[in-house]
Amino acid sequence: MNIQVKWIVAAHGYYKLNVDGAARGNPGNAGIGGVLRDFKGDFIAGFMNYIGFNTNNESKLLALWNGLKMAKELQITNIILETDSILTLNYFDRDRGPLTTKLVNLAQDCRLMLTEFDNS
């Protein structure tokens, strides 16, 4: 079996933000990371952090928050966001959002930040 995986660049004039987080053991030692690239695929900025003892869900949401913060600090508002976590994306649907107060607050912060980005 031959499976091909390919990262696709953003549309002209846009930036692509890829983020992820993981916890070993869930909960366990956790880390986050993200990469911001322009429409040519050139590296613009990135981050990686050890975030201590956390769950997978929290680490993925923290990765998103950190990625949005990085793009905002760089004054980049035209982004395409990619993550491998449908659960993280569901946090933005108020009917399927996170169950813990900590995750609710973090998801609300992300929602607020997202309003500052170009959504065309």
Side-chain angles (χ1 to χ4, degrees):
M1 178 188 329
N2 184 12
I3 298 174
Q4 295 184 5
V5 177
K6 182 178 180 184
W7 181 87
I8 300 170
V9 298
H12 190 298
Y14 281 81
Y15 295 82
K16 188 172 276 191
L17 175 62
N18 294 89
V19 296
D20 200 6
R24 184 176 186 164
N26 196 29
N29 288 320
I32 59 172
V35 176
L36 184 66
R37 294 182 181 269
D38 66 14
F39 68 93
K40 295 179 281 184
D42 292 336
F43 177 85
I44 302 300
F47 67 93
M48 64 176 186
N49 290 306
Y50 170 72
I51 57 169
F53 195 84
N54 281 293
T55 65
N56 276 327
N57 294 344
E58 185 174 359
S59 59
K60 289 179 182 298
L61 198 52
L62 277 168
L64 174 59
W65 186 88
N66 277 270
L68 293 173
K69 182 175 177 260
M70 177 181 68
K72 183 179 169 184
E73 288 172 353
L74 293 170
Q75 298 179 348
I76 294 174
T77 60
N78 48 342
I79 63 168
I80 295 169
L81 175 63
E82 283 189 345
T83 178
D84 66 351
S85 173
I86 192 70
L87 187 62
T88 300
L89 296 178
N90 284 343
Y91 289 159
F92 297 99
D93 179 348
R94 294 189 192 277
D95 294 332
R96 297 186 291 177
L99 301 177
T100 68
T101 301
K102 188 174 186 180
L103 290 179
V104 167
N105 292 336
L106 192 53
Q108 286 174 343
D109 286 350
C110 288
R111 276 191 209 105
L112 180 60
M113 259 196 286
L114 280 169
T115 64
E116 300 173 28
F117 289 88
D118 178 13
N119 60 357
S120 59

